[in-house]
Amino acid sequence: QIQTLRRIIKFTKPYAKQFFASILLVLVLAIVNAAQPRVIQVFIDNYLETGTATQATALMFGGIYFSFTLLKAFLTFFELFLFNTASEKTVLSVRNTLFAKVHSLGMKFFDGTSAGWIVTRVTNDTESLKEFWNVLLNIIQSILSITTTIIAMLILDWKVSLWILAFVPLLIVITRFYQVYSSKSYSEMKSKNSQLNTQLAESINGMSIIQQFRQEERMISEFEEVNETYYQSRFLITKINAILLSPVIDLLYTVAIVVILGLFGYNALENIVDVGVIYAFTSYVNLFFQPLTRLMDNLSLFQDGIISSGRILKVLDDETYTPAQNEMPGLEIKDAKIEFKNVTFSYDGKNNVLNNISFTVNPGETVALVGHTGSGKSSIINVLMRFYEYQEGEILIDGHSLRDYPIRELRDEIGLVLQDSFMFYGTIKDNIRLLDDSITDEEIIKAAEFVQADRFIEKLPGKYNHKVVERGASFSSGEKQLLSFASTIVKDPKILILDEATANIDTETEVLIQEGLSRMREGRTTVAIAQRLSTIRDANQI
């Protein structure tokens, strides 16, 4: 946990000045808190008890006490403002870093990780981290308040103060016991929360299948089971908190007050005890245990934040990156000749999917890959796109190793059209451009016309500015595929890869785009995975 805390605190470095300033204000606030009881104590012992109090002295001490209260209000405002601003910026930075990290991970990571698990890391865990910073502030406040209170008590009466400090070892034992006992419970709760998000994500994404096969009751039942286990894990934490947090501190506070009154009562039998001192000590006991109550209450959230931080760091530490390139600066794809030489590839490092695959696609030619499910067609695409690293052999483009090209060059010059096209929320124009500001509106329109997508786009309200809902739900599979063609062709790639690109297009739509596909392949080296005869009959090799 200490290691996790050290690493997560490093994210605060850009905002260290704001954090430091807020902590400095917390220290001043703790000193003011400790000084306030002394004001009342001096007034009671030096003026009220002696009968020398006047209206002027009462107003003076009242003004001092009010000034301290006003100062506390200003200090509280500024320290909360500075700390919360810095903590929000820190969480913003962590979330951005985490999101960027997810996009840098290789396809192998996503093969073995559910979408719900990733969503939980980026949303729930970063939100818990935001609470964690607030908890950290409360802990710092509590520690400084307790420290200044102890110093004030020792100055006032060190003998009585030692009796109060005798409670500290007991509090440390209780705190340690709580940490050990709750850590496992919080970890289990987080795991159940991930399962809940995964179940929800799968249900939403697969709703059409669920309803088609009338699986609503089964899915509801499974969700209720996962939700019940999540509830039980949270309820266990609630029970732990109910037993070990505030009730224990309240009990110790009551015992401490009894001890203080007992000590002063015993001393009063032999010596005169100042009333102001009794008031000050009872106030200090409250100032000592009140932060402890807040501290113990926050330990649950602190534990939650530590667990969430560990899970965030787990993603940041993941090294399932996209395959590394030995980039040769300035190397460009010109002729787009592709050569596979004895390429062997395995997803798990044990079972080969490709074994000594060799073929050549000359510039401007089309090779069609045909085979049964699981024969390795898409795997050839995966290694050619550098989604996965191949283990043996070599892949060459224009005589240079695929590993030597800058990854940006490969992405710019290799156009990929998948069987299942994905559309982002936005407009049709946004989905064709894909946020590449260098692509003009005129180029978008030409690309749509090139693949015959303009025929349905022109009929839409707003045309190219027509809104696209999540995953393009309002479009047919054929229309989404045409837009996918347009987004690929608008970048004018030298290599074209079609992975079952016409599988979701109806016969009528297919007739419309065959001419577009033929033109797309003109002057481009094409690798096409296809089962339809209409797609592969013009290929140079099958």
Side-chain angles (χ1 to χ4, degrees):
Q1 290 188 352
I2 294 175
Q3 184 65 24
T4 300
L5 185 60
R6 282 177 180 172
R7 291 188 58 192
I8 211 70
I9 282 179
K10 288 181 180 178
F11 282 101
T12 67
K13 192 173 181 180
Y15 319 104
K17 290 181 180 178
Q18 287 172 277
F19 278 115
F20 181 77
S22 63
I23 292 171
L24 194 61
L25 291 175
V26 169
L27 176 60
V28 177
L29 184 62
I31 293 171
V32 173
N33 272 328
Q36 269 190 311
R38 289 301 300 270
V39 174
I40 303 299
Q41 180 255 320
V42 170
F43 179 65
I44 292 172
D45 292 341
N46 294 354
Y47 293 93
L48 289 183
E49 278 193 8
T50 60
T52 58
T54 63
Q55 187 176 8
T57 55
L59 287 173
M60 182 184 70
F61 278 95
I64 294 172
Y65 194 88
F66 178 74
S67 298
F68 278 158
T69 303
L70 200 61
L71 179 60
K72 282 166 60 178
F74 279 105
L75 290 171
T76 302
F77 170 77
F78 283 110
E79 59 99 354
L80 285 176
F81 177 79
L82 288 171
F83 194 92
N84 286 333
T85 301
S87 64
E88 288 286 354
K89 288 181 179 179
T90 302
V91 172
L92 176 70
S93 175
V94 172
R95 190 172 283 154
N96 287 339
T97 302
L98 189 60
F99 191 74
K101 174 68 179 187
V102 168
H103 283 75
S104 73
L105 295 171
M107 291 298 175
K108 189 175 181 180
F109 172 82
F110 298 98
D111 288 343
T113 309
S114 67
W117 189 91
I118 299 171
V119 169
T120 303
R121 299 294 81 75
V122 180
T123 55
N124 293 36
D125 285 332
T126 52
E127 196 64 26
S128 295
L129 187 61
K130 184 170 70 176
E131 293 294 328
F132 171 76
W133 294 120
N134 292 329
V135 169
L136 199 60
L137 175 63
N138 284 328
I139 290 173
I140 293 170
Q141 284 177 327
S142 300
I143 292 172
L144 291 176
S145 179
I146 291 167
T147 303
T148 53
T149 301
I150 290 172
I151 293 171
M153 284 194 298
L154 289 170
I155 292 172
L156 191 61
D157 191 325
W158 67 271
K159 291 181 180 179
V160 177
S161 300
L162 292 178
W163 284 94
I164 304 301
L165 294 178
F167 288 92
V168 173
L170 182 59
L171 289 167
I172 293 172
V173 171
I174 293 171
T175 303
R176 181 58 183 164
F177 181 75
Y178 172 81
Q179 265 191 312
V180 172
Y181 199 67
S182 65
S183 179
K184 184 179 179 182
S185 299
Y186 268 100
S187 182
E188 184 179 351
M189 184 195 73
K190 287 292 183 182
S191 176
K192 299 299 181 186
N193 189 36
S194 290
Q195 292 179 24
L196 203 65
N197 285 336
T198 299
Q199 188 92 11
L200 183 61
E202 287 182 350
S203 296
I204 293 173
N205 291 332
M207 190 59 70
S208 59
I209 302 298
I210 292 170
Q211 294 185 358
Q212 177 185 346
F213 289 95
R214 300 174 63 189
Q215 295 296 304
E216 294 93 338
E217 290 186 8
R218 182 178 68 83
M219 296 303 295
I220 291 170
S221 177
E222 289 181 1
F223 183 83
E224 287 177 349
E225 287 180 11
V226 176
N227 199 22
E228 176 64 24
T229 58
Y230 177 63
Y231 162 75
Q232 292 295 341
S233 63
R234 287 198 69 92
F235 186 63
L236 177 61
I237 291 170
T238 301
K239 289 193 291 186
I240 295 171
N241 293 348
I243 295 170
L244 295 177
L245 296 184
S246 294
V248 173
I249 302 299
D250 290 341
L251 176 63
L252 293 176
Y253 168 71
T254 304
V255 173
I257 290 291
V258 171
V259 169
I260 290 294
L261 295 177
L263 287 172
F264 281 118
Y266 179 78
N267 290 336
L269 296 176
E270 298 178 0
N271 303 301
I272 296 174
V273 177
D274 293 327
V275 177
V277 174
I278 297 175
Y279 165 80
F281 254 100
T282 53
S283 298
Y284 284 139
V285 170
N286 183 51
L287 285 174
F288 180 76
F289 281 95
Q290 190 181 53
L292 281 173
T293 304
R294 190 166 65 242
L295 183 64
M296 293 292 282
D297 283 338
N298 282 319
L299 274 177
S300 57
L301 293 174
F302 181 79
Q303 195 67 45
D304 190 14
I306 289 291
I307 298 295
S308 294
S309 299
R311 289 151 71 94
I312 290 170
L313 291 172
K314 183 179 180 182
V315 178
L316 296 178
D317 290 340
D318 197 293
E319 296 184 354
T320 314
Y321 295 110
T322 52
Q325 296 293 100
N326 302 317
E327 296 188 5
M328 293 176 61
L331 186 61
E332 297 179 357
I333 297 175
K334 296 179 180 178
D335 298 327
K337 179 182 179 180
I338 301 172
E339 296 176 81
F340 272 64
K341 294 186 175 181
N342 300 316
V343 174
T344 296
F345 168 68
S346 169
Y347 287 101
D348 58 9
K350 299 176 182 177
N351 304 300
N352 290 340
V353 179
L354 303 177
N355 284 291
N356 297 320
I357 298 295
S358 297
F359 63 88
T360 301
V361 192
N362 291 312
E365 289 187 349
T366 297
V367 62
L369 306 177
V370 182
H372 61 76
T373 302
S375 60
K377 303 185 301 296
S378 294
S379 297
I380 290 177
I381 303 301
N382 285 335
V383 295
L384 181 58
M385 290 296 299
R386 293 299 282 160
F387 292 150
Y388 295 87
E389 183 65 84
Y390 50 93
Q391 283 76 37
E392 297 178 19
E394 191 59 86
I395 300 175
L396 305 176
I397 297 180
D398 293 343
H400 295 280
S401 172
L402 188 66
R403 298 186 177 102
D404 292 340
Y405 284 92
I407 196 68
R408 178 174 290 276
E409 176 70 8
L410 295 178
R411 296 291 177 257
D412 286 342
E413 299 299 342
I414 301 179
L416 175 64
V417 182
L418 298 170
Q419 177 179 350
D420 297 315
S421 55
F422 187 92
M423 296 190 69
F424 296 92
Y425 184 87
T427 65
I428 286 179
K429 190 186 297 182
D430 294 334
N431 274 273
I432 295 176
R433 178 183 282 125
L434 291 178
L435 297 182
D436 187 347
D437 294 331
S438 65
I439 298 173
T440 64
D441 290 354
E442 290 74 18
E443 289 174 326
I444 289 173
I445 294 172
K446 285 182 181 179
E449 292 173 347
F450 191 84
V451 299
Q452 310 281 7
D454 62 312
R455 298 199 177 191
F456 80 86
I457 294 175
E458 292 292 338
K459 296 177 183 178
L460 297 171
K463 298 181 180 179
Y464 288 88
N465 290 314
H466 181 75
K467 289 292 182 183
V468 178
V469 297
E470 189 176 6
R471 301 179 70 89
S474 61
F475 295 97
S476 69
S477 297
E479 288 170 340
K480 286 192 286 186
Q481 200 70 320
L482 287 172
L483 291 174
S484 181
F485 284 147
S487 66
T488 299
I489 209 66
V490 75
K491 299 193 75 170
D492 192 25
K494 292 185 173 67
I495 297 173
L496 189 63
I497 298 177
L498 307 174
D499 189 354
E500 298 279 11
T502 59
N504 291 331
I505 297 176
D506 56 78
T507 305
E508 183 180 353
T509 307
E510 184 186 5
V511 172
L512 290 175
I513 68 168
Q514 282 305 320
E515 180 184 349
L517 274 174
S518 297
R519 282 188 289 169
M520 284 174 70
R521 292 198 298 263
E522 285 179 10
R524 293 185 177 90
T525 304
T526 305
V527 177
I529 296 175
Q531 305 292 0
R532 292 190 181 189
L533 177 62
S534 58
T535 307
I536 64 175
R537 63 187 176 186
D538 294 332
N540 300 93
Q541 298 179 68
I542 299 175

